[in-house]
Amino acid sequence: MSLDTSLSSVLADQGYLRERLQPRRGDDFYLHLVDLLAALRPITADPAETVLDYGCGGSPYRRLFSQRTYHRTDLPGTPGLDHAMDEAGRVDAPDASYELVLCTQVLEHVRHPGAVLRECLRLLKPGGRLVVTTHGLFEEHGCPADFRRWTADGLAAEMQDAGAQNVRVQKITFGGRAWMFFMDRWSCCLTGLRSQQGRRGMQLVLGLWRRLQPAWHRLADALFAHQAVAPAGTADSMIYVGLMAVGEKPTQAPE
Ligand SMILES: C[S@@+](CC[C@H](N)C(=O)[O-])C[C@H]1O[C@@H](n2cnc3c(N)ncnc32)[C@H](O)[C@@H]1O
């Protein structure tokens, strides 16, 4: 699998990058992207000097790691990479090259996630950290393909099976905040009406919805700010939009 030019330019588009690093109320994915950014910020306190962005796309979170050596790898076809990757996700870099590997919104797009996590751990120095973000409940979106959704337990198990230790999982955008996110997104899915009149009516409703979006986001921030990011076992967190897992590469090889 490789990334075609149109997809790689979407991922590097300034608007796409701005929505991830500086989300604003009124952006289509604001309610989740602002939470994803909040989940990632504490990772920047990691003293790692060397960071690999695995499946980097346009590297939206690169600026969070300024002052570090920051390298990028992705499928063939992605411009400006530091390391080539083959179509199976293997990276042309030696073992134990990095102190932190960041893999944001990639895992749902890979056919063999265990192999990708093992590859990320291979590239880490012993004691280094692997940070993975992916989806819980989310609409299908190929990039170039979309294979699965995760539960917190499933993601933790996959990380452990790949060899990570001290794995901690956080849920991102959950409970009432997730419900407000889905209302926001699913309003945009009501476009498949058969009759022309119905489609026109829906266009009007969607136009109105777009104008209401900033207020909807303000309301979600007022009511459900506490349901942005929390450890996996938190009450009222059965429904969630995203997950972040952080694990370490063991300092000693398993016996
Ligand atoms: C939704 S984009 C995320 C890009 C970026 N990490 C971000 O957070 O915006 C998914 C990325 O996964 C990459 N990808 C897809 N399949 C992959 C695979 N099998 N191995 C490695 N990367 C893959 C794509 O090339 C793309 O850059």
Side-chain angles (χ1 to χ4, degrees):
M1 201 177 280
S2 60
L3 208 59
D4 70 32
T5 325
S6 57
L7 203 46
S8 61
S9 48
V10 168
L11 295 173
D13 175 74
Q14 286 310 311
Y16 178 97
L17 298 176
R18 198 276 301 151
E19 285 183 22
R20 279 145 189 83
L21 200 57
Q22 295 163 308
R24 288 183 205 139
R25 292 185 184 126
D27 292 346
D28 276 344
F29 294 97
Y30 166 80
L31 282 178
H32 183 54
L33 291 179
V34 75
D35 297 350
L36 179 56
L37 183 62
L40 286 167
R41 275 196 193 285
I43 303 295
T44 62
D46 189 297
E49 289 295 330
T50 50
V51 179
L52 178 68
D53 188 347
Y54 182 102
C56 59
S59 293
Y61 302 108
R62 179 182 202 150
R63 275 173 42 197
L64 297 180
F65 297 92
S66 54
Q67 321 295 328
R68 329 280 176 102
T69 300
Y70 192 96
H71 286 169
R72 308 171 64 239
T73 187
D74 204 323
L75 291 174
T78 310
L81 299 176
D82 297 287
H83 295 294
M85 181 187 281
D86 68 15
E87 301 203 342
R90 285 182 297 249
V91 179
D92 186 14
D95 295 357
S97 297
Y98 294 93
E99 290 158 322
L100 184 74
V101 173
L102 186 66
C103 181
T104 57
Q105 313 306 88
V106 175
L107 216 56
E108 69 272 19
H109 300 291
V110 310
R111 188 141 181 186
H112 302 293
V116 161
L117 293 173
R118 284 194 297 279
E119 178 67 353
C120 288
L121 287 163
R122 177 186 77 77
L123 293 161
L124 272 178
K125 293 180 197 274
R129 286 210 290 174
L130 170 59
V131 177
V132 173
T133 67
T134 185
H135 288 300
L137 287 175
F138 197 78
E139 65 212 49
E140 187 178 296
H141 58 292
C143 190
D146 189 351
F147 293 105
R148 61 180 64 70
R149 295 292 173 269
W150 299 90
T151 63
D153 287 344
L155 184 59
E158 194 87 53
M159 293 272 286
Q160 284 155 356
D161 290 350
Q165 67 179 22
N166 298 330
V167 176
R168 295 171 308 277
V169 178
Q170 288 183 298
K171 292 178 175 172
I172 307 177
T173 320
F174 59 95
R177 194 168 168 88
W179 177 80
M180 290 191 77
F181 173 81
F182 294 136
M183 289 299 288
D184 195 359
R185 293 303 305 153
W186 290 348
S187 65
C188 302
C189 297
L190 303 174
T191 49
L193 291 172
R194 295 254 162 113
S195 80
Q196 207 177 26
Q197 267 185 336
R199 281 201 302 273
R200 280 212 196 107
M202 195 46 74
Q203 292 270 312
L204 288 174
V205 172
L206 290 179
L208 181 64
W209 180 255
R210 290 216 161 273
R211 295 166 68 166
L212 289 175
Q213 262 179 323
W216 185 253
H217 297 162
R218 244 191 315 280
L219 183 65
D221 284 342
L223 295 177
F224 297 119
H226 60 292
Q227 293 184 331
V229 185
T234 302
D236 303 319
S237 68
M238 279 129 62
I239 300 286
Y240 43 94
V241 180
L243 290 167
M244 181 170 81
V246 181
E248 289 160 21
K249 178 166 179 168
T251 45
Q252 286 178 337
E255 286 168 19

